[in-house]
Amino acid sequence: MCGIVGILSTTKKDTAVYIYDALTILQHRGQDAAGIVTSHKGRFYMRKSNGLVKNAFRTEHMTSLLGDMGIGHVRYPTAGTSSGAEAQPFYVNSPYGIAFAHNGNLTNTKELAQELFEQDLRHINTNSDSEILLNVFASELAKLQKQRINEQDVLDSVKQVHKRVRGAYATIGMIPGYGIFGFRDPNGIRPLILGKRTTNGGTKYMLASESVALTALGYEITQDIKPGEAVVIDRKGNIFIQQCAQNPKYSPCIFEFVYFARPDSVIDDISVYKTRLRMGERLAAKIYKEWGDEKIDVVIPIPDTSRVSALQLAHELEVKYSEGLIKNRYIARTFIMPGQKLRKKSVRQKLSAIGLEFKGKNVLLVDDSIVRGTTSQQIVKMARDAGANKVFFASAAPAVRHPNVYGIDMASNKEFIAHNKTTEEVCEAIGADKLIYQDLDDLIWCVQQGNKDIQEFDCSCFNGEYVTGDIDQQYLNDIEAARADSVKEKNNTNESSELICNDVE
């Protein structure tokens, strides 16, 4: 799960500055690496680096990113490694030169890599499925054997991509001298939205992962790119949108609404904020039904994602709401940190408890979800150390018991604290007095109220049902083995980094 953005201006040449601003707004979607590619007079200008957006780009980098169009990416590693070589956007010089940014995860990567080598005669230089997706698109465009392309050529190539590629992908690409384009997988698992901004100086167009990147920069939302659709915007500002998949089906990832997206975003016409309000209402109803005889003195959210749900839950239960946990805003989101060691270390650094809100009270802690249990265990202990009488725990999402294969770092069910455990056993594992989960039917209802045209969501991490229909146990075993190798590599890297830091100190 990453953040992507593309901007084309019909007049201005300072696109990179606005891409930088958009990536900063989308920073919550990826903190491992950041990159920008712009185009000016038929040439690409690129800067990408590991780390946050503010650290990846300095003044000298920004002044060298020339052009009136460009694309950007913030990376959250789920496939491949965390090396700088796999930071995006990627680039191929044939045909025409294509820069490319991808959010999601492919599920037939091995087959595609073999096809590209044996049939398309294309070389893949990294372990990233994004590079594979780029080369599939580039190969299909090259088959046209045209000196100059038009919008239909791009759209026809996307049609062929949909026939060859499986999995989750929202993408933005750029062809120098021509324009930018974007497309979304036939299930619409990952989001992509289009907007425009008209000024006295001309019109700008933006494609982005979330609406907040558009609205924060003064863009008017035009539309969500629908599952299977592709959009092409040429240098003159002409927009072409076409359905390119044979059997598209709206099946967006429900975890976007639980955790990843910002509450001020709207995805597929669904307000993330209103969804989380409804999650709080439904969870409160379940608590009232099952814990009606339990005295709760205060509801405390685990910042930041659970705040909206916790506030509404407290309102429904008529219980005091308090910000009893203070977050250090200079620590990254722990869920998307590479490596369990970093996650454990960062939880201790990220949060501190206000003793007055805990001492002698029955406290209900509310989190958006419980995945590995790392945060939950430490916060329950923190609450007890602060003097809480009882510590109850509520998850606004159901128990995570199955791997996510569509771009979220949940590759092995052995990492999940709820794996092969009952709710009571998870409660004991995190050290709480009581634990309650949102029901999946209630979660689906909460999201679906925003757009009743969407009849199905990808809920695979909760129910083990994969909307692409191509995931079997052997596939899950393979990604679990790959995950184990990746974790080992990351842990070795982290240990080396810690040794270097200790030596410096």
Side-chain angles (χ1 to χ4, degrees):
M1 200 265 331
C2 303
I4 57 176
V5 61
I7 295 179
L8 182 145
S9 173
T10 56
T11 55
K12 296 289 185 181
K13 309 296 182 183
D14 54 353
T15 302
V17 175
Y18 296 98
I19 295 175
Y20 175 95
D21 291 341
L23 290 180
T24 302
I25 295 165
L26 295 174
Q27 186 76 84
H28 62 285
R29 298 187 66 88
Q31 300 167 2
D32 185 67
I36 295 175
V37 177
T38 59
S39 176
H40 179 62
K41 294 184 178 180
R43 295 188 62 183
F44 282 139
Y45 298 84
M46 178 184 291
R47 165 65 183 176
K48 55 183 181 177
S49 175
N50 281 353
L52 301 176
V53 175
K54 65 179 182 180
N55 297 325
F57 302 98
R58 303 296 184 190
T59 302
E60 62 269 24
H61 304 135
M62 299 304 298
T63 55
S64 66
L65 292 171
L66 307 176
D68 54 4
M69 62 179 180
I71 63 175
H73 185 274
V74 284
R75 183 172 190 261
Y76 155 76
T78 57
T81 68
S82 296
S83 71
E86 298 194 2
Q88 295 188 46
F90 282 118
Y91 158 77
V92 290
N93 65 358
S94 176
Y96 315 113
I98 306 170
F100 194 82
H102 164 223
N103 172 30
N105 199 60
L106 308 187
T107 58
N108 62 334
T109 304
K110 288 185 179 180
E111 300 95 313
L112 289 171
Q114 187 172 355
E115 281 182 16
L116 286 168
F117 180 73
E118 295 178 354
Q119 299 176 25
D120 301 89
L121 307 179
R122 301 187 76 90
H123 172 69
I124 304 301
N125 198 52
T126 70
N127 294 320
S128 173
D129 61 339
S130 304
E131 187 187 11
I132 289 174
L133 182 57
L134 165 58
N135 276 272
V136 171
F137 174 79
S139 178
E140 294 299 332
L141 196 60
K143 290 176 182 178
L144 300 176
Q145 294 290 306
K146 293 178 66 174
Q147 185 175 7
R148 293 185 180 276
I149 59 170
N150 57 38
E151 69 280 356
Q152 196 58 50
D153 297 327
V154 177
L155 295 170
D156 288 343
S157 297
V158 174
K159 291 178 183 179
Q160 297 305 312
V161 169
H162 288 328
K163 292 178 181 179
R164 297 179 63 177
V165 174
R166 298 194 303 270
Y169 48 96
T171 73
I172 300 174
M174 176 173 59
I175 300 173
Y178 179 73
I180 64 174
F181 62 91
F183 56 91
R184 196 174 177 191
D185 70 77
N187 290 286
I189 298 173
R190 294 283 156 242
L192 188 63
I193 190 166
L194 170 68
K196 70 176 182 179
R197 181 184 179 192
T198 303
T199 66
N200 293 333
T203 304
K204 296 181 180 180
Y205 300 90
M206 182 192 293
L207 285 164
S209 294
E210 292 184 32
S211 64
V212 66
L214 299 169
T215 55
L217 296 180
Y219 282 72
E220 174 189 351
I221 295 173
T222 303
Q223 67 177 80
D224 289 282
I225 304 304
K226 293 183 173 58
E229 276 191 345
V231 55
V232 179
I233 309 171
D234 67 20
R235 291 287 301 278
K236 296 179 180 179
N238 298 310
I239 300 178
F240 309 91
I241 300 176
Q242 188 177 111
Q243 178 55 252
C244 296
Q246 292 180 340
N247 297 297
K249 180 178 64 175
Y250 243 134
S251 306
C253 175
I254 205 164
F255 211 71
E256 289 275 358
F257 301 91
V258 170
Y259 176 81
F260 280 116
R262 276 179 43 160
D264 46 348
S265 283
V266 177
I267 297 175
D268 294 316
D269 290 327
I270 301 171
S271 165
V272 177
Y273 177 78
K274 289 184 178 179
T275 294
R276 291 177 184 169
L277 285 177
R278 290 189 286 264
M279 288 162 63
E281 291 176 2
R282 284 295 170 117
L283 190 56
K286 185 176 181 181
I287 290 172
Y288 183 80
K289 179 180 177 181
E290 298 187 9
W291 294 0
D293 58 344
E294 198 70 65
K295 183 177 184 294
I296 300 172
D297 296 312
V298 61
V299 172
I300 295 178
I302 297 174
D304 286 318
T305 323
S306 65
R307 279 197 172 107
V308 178
S309 296
L311 183 61
Q312 188 65 17
L313 183 151
H315 175 75
E316 294 291 322
L317 294 178
E318 297 182 346
V319 174
K320 177 186 175 184
Y321 170 90
S322 175
E323 295 281 346
L325 293 167
I326 302 303
K327 180 180 178 181
N328 180 349
R329 299 188 180 278
Y330 300 97
I331 300 295
R333 301 179 89 181
T334 50
F335 177 84
I336 63 176
M337 281 195 164
Q340 189 72 348
K341 284 188 176 182
L342 278 182
R343 293 188 188 101
K344 290 180 177 179
K345 183 176 180 181
S346 293
V347 171
R348 295 192 298 269
Q349 296 173 339
K350 184 176 76 169
L351 297 173
S352 60
I354 299 176
L356 292 174
E357 297 294 349
F358 289 90
K359 191 171 182 179
K361 297 179 181 179
N362 295 344
V363 177
L364 174 58
L365 297 172
V366 180
D367 207 351
D368 55 84
S369 59
I370 305 173
V371 182
R372 301 172 183 90
T374 307
T375 301
S376 308
Q377 290 170 336
Q378 296 192 45
I379 292 177
V380 169
K381 185 178 185 303
M382 193 182 297
R384 295 201 186 281
D385 291 344
N389 179 40
K390 289 185 178 181
V391 181
F392 309 125
F393 206 102
S395 169
V400 175
R401 303 185 189 278
H402 305 276
N404 182 287
V405 300
Y406 299 128
I408 300 177
D409 191 14
M410 299 177 180
S412 172
N413 55 17
K414 293 179 181 178
E415 296 179 11
F416 309 146
I417 195 168
H419 176 61
N420 285 337
K421 288 188 180 73
T422 64
T423 299
E424 291 73 22
E425 289 171 332
V426 176
C427 181
E428 182 179 356
I430 66 174
D433 292 291
K434 278 191 174 183
L435 168 66
I436 196 165
Y437 285 105
Q438 183 90 264
D439 291 331
L440 181 56
D441 287 344
D442 283 341
L443 176 61
I444 293 172
W445 181 89
C446 291
V447 184
Q448 200 170 39
Q449 296 310 297
N451 186 347
K452 295 184 180 180
D453 290 335
I454 302 178
Q455 297 298 310
E456 181 182 12
F457 293 88
D458 173 62
C459 306
S460 53
C461 60
F462 302 125
N463 60 13
E465 298 175 7
Y466 298 92
V467 296
T468 53
D470 60 338
I471 306 302
D472 56 19
Q473 190 56 50
Q474 184 58 53
Y475 181 91
L476 296 176
N477 292 342
D478 290 344
I479 64 169
E480 186 169 324
R483 169 67 175 167
D485 292 339
S486 177
V487 168
K488 183 178 180 180
E489 179 183 344
K490 288 174 183 177
N491 285 340
N492 289 339
T493 301
N494 294 336
E495 287 172 4
S496 299
S497 298
E498 288 182 8
L499 286 172
I500 292 172
C501 291
N502 290 336
D503 289 342
V504 171
E505 292 174 354

